[in-house]
Amino acid sequence: MRVYLVIMDETDEASVALRFAARRASRTGGTVHLLALVPRQPFVAFGGIQATIEEEARARAEALVTAAAGSLLGDSQRPPVISVQTGDGVDVIRAYLAEHPEVSALVLGAAASGGPGPLVSHFTAIAGQLACPLYVVPGAMNDEALERLS
């Protein structure tokens, strides 16, 4: 079974990557893993404030990935696997890929304008070292183009 790992955040390009991965999974009998990243918060001298900031960031990430998973349920044969993890994005993704050898492809969305984004820049630079293919979906792709591509 093919497993497509999508990194979810609040950007438009993440939504495009999710739509691509969902269509590929549906057509190949695969499934989608959704990974939401919660960046480590800068140190705040007051521990209670630090904990509140971190909890709010985690709650936002969980709500985002849950909503994304809900949007997939109508299109997919299998429910997505959801994970919310805290840490540096690159490190978390590398660890996730190491812990989940069943992942068939890492699917990232490139920004529609400006630079492609830090994750795309990092993983395209090391694509030959990854244990799975890297799909970079242009953030400006519309649904018709995604349908043709997937």
Side-chain angles (χ1 to χ4, degrees), residues 41-57:
Q41 301 300 314
F43 177 75
V44 177
F46 302 100
I49 294 172
Q50 178 81 27
T52 300
I53 292 170
E54 289 175 357
E55 184 57 36
E56 287 175 355

Side-chain angles (χ1 to χ4, degrees), residues 74-119:
D75 297 335
S76 180
Q77 299 167 347
R78 294 180 176 88
V81 173
I82 298 172
S83 181
V84 178
Q85 297 187 21
T86 302
D88 173 66
V90 168
D91 294 338
V92 170
I93 294 167
R94 284 179 177 227
Y96 192 92
L97 290 172
E99 294 166 9
H100 295 86
E102 73 275 14
V103 171
S104 305
L106 172 60
V107 182
L108 299 174
S113 61
L119 293 179

